[in-house]
Amino acid sequence: MAHFTKATSVKDWLNQRLAIEKVEKVMASEYWIPKNINFLWAMGMVLAITFALLLVSGIFLLMYYQPHVDLAFDSVNYTIMREVDFGWLWRHIHGVAASVVFLIIYIHMFTGIYYGSYKKGREMIWISGMLLFVTFSAEAFSGYMLPWGQMSYWAGMVITNIFSLGDLHLDGLVEWIRGDYVPAQAFLTRFFMLHVLLLPLAIIGLIGLHFAALRIPHVNNQDGEEIDFDAESKKYLDGDKAGSKVIRFANDFMSKDLMVVGIFLIFFFYLVFYNYSFALDPVNFDPADMLKTPAHIYPEWYFLWSYEILRPFSVNIGLVAFGFAQVIFVLLPFLDRSPNAVPASRRGAFNIWFWVLLIDMIVLTAMGKLPPEGIFSTIGLVAALLFIALWLVLPVITKFEKKV
């Protein structure tokens, strides 16, 4: 049995039993961050704050939401928005945060790609991050079902139909997911459970895994410089803070994080109070009607790029392309064959690949919101084919990349 002494304070009592000082050193005061990084490295903290806003606002909405097909629509659009004091505020916070969180995720993701933060022992950081992206996507989709408006219902119908897998006709799997032949009470109840319990728990667990994966290889830097963290941290602790290439996470780097978070919150609450309508689809202000299909069914903006990869092709080819798009980002550390873990601007062909991919995904997002007809259909098809081609050529162009 471990040896315990008489505690001199509450902190000492807890420290003997929970090793809180050791945990604090590992996760904060002796967790070392390179000096040569920019504000884009604060996106992780911004994401954590946004997730906290989603949790808090979700708890308040949960107090009045009714997960029943006859009550859900009115509980959101009448009870919460009109009867509950500041209910409109909590809904605006939740809706805006659900949309903005994906903007920050995409910035965070493409920052990692640009600076090669998935290479040289950092593969698990990338993989855990992509698992978080998938789980956040499932959380957003399940939440989109809950207002039980027209777009909620028909988006649920379309997305669950994907699981029939085209000519395989796995209709039994689709019915099992829905709990019925069409989205109805069982469907709403299941997605309510996923949204408020199972998926948030998965996200919290994956956040823990993501932070743990950061601890051993440490954070990358914007120059791609190899840093001896043990030597540089010793230099810092010996008093040579100016000469050391690293700083403490707490409270050195965290102070920079909080400045970026403060700027983000100004932007965020501007959207909440003055420009929240982008997060609330006007079609979804009509109650769900299984007998009236909307003229144009589309997902939220953060799913549009993958939706547009599915849409231009025949059913079976579209499903293969859609599945390809869902898993290919996870495989990036293994497809990039280059030994270089430096910014894309120093990697020749990879730099072109990166910017073409980014522009292509923006085009796919724009086309996904438009009806698939005329020139829009052609542009969407070309952009989808280009997306697939970019990933197929990545191993080739990186294999022959010269070491920087």
Side-chain angles (χ1 to χ4, degrees):
M1 184 176 176
H3 177 68
F4 294 93
T5 60
K6 185 177 180 180
T8 57
S9 64
V10 173
K11 180 181 179 181
D12 182 44
W13 188 88
L14 290 171
N15 188 51
Q16 290 187 47
R17 289 155 179 81
L18 300 176
I20 57 175
E21 287 185 357
K22 185 174 182 179
V23 172
E24 188 273 335
K25 286 183 178 180
V26 169
M27 298 303 295
S29 63
E30 292 187 11
Y31 175 39
W32 303 101
I33 306 292
K35 284 182 177 179
N36 56 334
I37 56 178
N38 57 43
F39 75 97
L40 291 171
W41 268 258
M43 292 302 110
M45 181 63 75
V46 172
L47 280 171
I49 296 296
T50 310
F51 181 57
L53 286 168
L54 283 165
L55 282 178
V56 173
S57 58
I59 289 169
F60 279 96
L61 293 174
L62 186 58
M63 295 177 185
Y64 296 97
Y65 176 75
Q66 298 289 332
H68 191 281
V69 291
D70 296 328
L71 302 173
F73 183 83
D74 283 342
S75 71
V76 172
N77 293 287
Y78 181 74
T79 304
I80 291 173
M81 292 296 289
R82 299 187 183 186
E83 289 193 334
V84 177
D85 288 342
F86 297 103
W88 59 270
L89 177 59
W90 291 114
R91 190 188 180 195
H92 288 182
I93 290 174
H94 202 71
V96 170
S99 190
V100 169
V101 76
F102 279 93
L103 174 63
I104 307 303
I105 285 173
Y106 285 129
I107 293 172
H108 197 47
M109 189 166 81
F110 276 93
T111 298
I113 296 174
Y114 185 85
Y115 288 105
S117 298
Y118 51 87
K119 300 174 70 69
K120 289 188 177 179
R122 296 187 174 95
E123 293 88 350
M124 277 307 302
I125 301 173
W126 178 261
I127 291 170
S128 61
M130 291 311 303
L131 290 175
L132 267 171
F133 172 68
V134 171
T135 313
F136 263 109
S137 299
E139 175 75 352
F141 174 69
S142 62
Y144 195 60
M145 301 300 102
L146 301 188
W148 208 240
Q150 267 289 72
M151 197 56 75
S152 297
Y153 181 89
W154 287 101
M157 177 76 81
V158 169
I159 297 302
T160 51
N161 272 335
I162 290 175
F163 291 92
S164 66
L165 299 183
D167 285 347
L168 293 179
H169 294 293
L170 300 181
D171 300 324
L173 175 61
V174 175
E175 291 169 16
W176 179 77
I177 293 170
R178 294 174 180 167
D180 206 334
Y181 296 107
V182 295
Q185 182 58 53
F187 176 86
L188 180 60
T189 305
R190 291 176 183 194
F191 278 80
F192 175 71
M193 178 277 296
L194 287 172
H195 189 71
V196 304
L197 178 63
L198 192 59
L199 291 173
L201 288 176
I203 288 171
I204 292 169
L206 286 169
I207 289 173
L209 174 62
H210 195 57
F211 282 147
L214 278 166
R215 187 62 184 86
I216 294 176
H218 291 276
V219 175
N220 193 17
N221 60 85
Q222 66 183 28
D223 300 320
E225 181 183 359
E226 288 282 356
I227 295 176
D228 186 338
F229 282 90
D230 291 333
E232 295 301 325
S233 60
K234 185 177 186 303
K235 192 184 296 184
Y236 184 100
L237 293 172
D238 288 343
D240 186 12
K241 295 183 179 181
S244 175
K245 295 180 180 180
V246 298
I247 55 176
R248 298 179 191 266
F249 176 73
N251 292 313
D252 299 342
F253 180 71
M254 194 176 290
S255 63
K256 298 181 178 182
D257 264 357
L258 292 177
M259 184 191 73
V260 177
V261 168
I263 295 171
F264 164 75
L265 289 176
I266 293 171
F267 164 73
F268 177 81
F269 282 104
Y270 165 76
L271 294 177
V272 167
F273 288 109
Y274 298 107
N275 276 292
Y276 53 85
S277 58
F278 79 95
L280 303 173
D281 195 313
V283 180
N284 227 24
F285 284 96
D286 294 326
D289 185 351
M290 65 183 298
L291 301 178
K292 183 181 178 183
T293 308
H296 179 39
I297 300 173
Y298 49 83
E300 286 292 276
W301 72 267
Y302 36 82
F303 296 141
L304 288 171
W305 68 271
S306 56
Y307 178 62
E308 185 60 19
I309 290 172
L310 167 72
R311 201 169 58 168
F313 304 104
S314 62
V315 174
N316 293 326
I317 297 175
L319 286 171
V320 172
F322 181 77
F324 176 89
Q326 304 315 302
V327 302
I328 197 64
F329 278 98
V330 181
L331 301 177
L332 176 60
F334 312 104
L335 294 174
D336 186 345
R337 312 301 296 171
S338 168
N340 299 313
V342 297
S345 58
R346 294 166 57 191
R347 293 185 58 188
F350 181 83
N351 188 40
I352 299 171
W353 181 91
F354 171 85
W355 289 110
V356 172
L357 176 67
L358 180 59
I359 293 168
D360 186 55
M361 287 185 65
I362 292 172
V363 172
L364 285 168
T365 299
M367 292 301 104
K369 190 67 181 280
L370 299 171
E373 54 192 27
I375 188 66
F376 301 140
S377 180
T378 304
I379 294 173
L381 175 61
V382 172
L385 290 171
L386 178 59
F387 178 88
I388 295 168
L390 284 168
W391 286 99
L392 293 179
V393 302
L394 177 62
V396 178
I397 64 173
T398 54
K399 184 176 177 62
F400 295 102
E401 184 178 308
K402 294 180 179 179
K403 185 171 177 59
V404 177

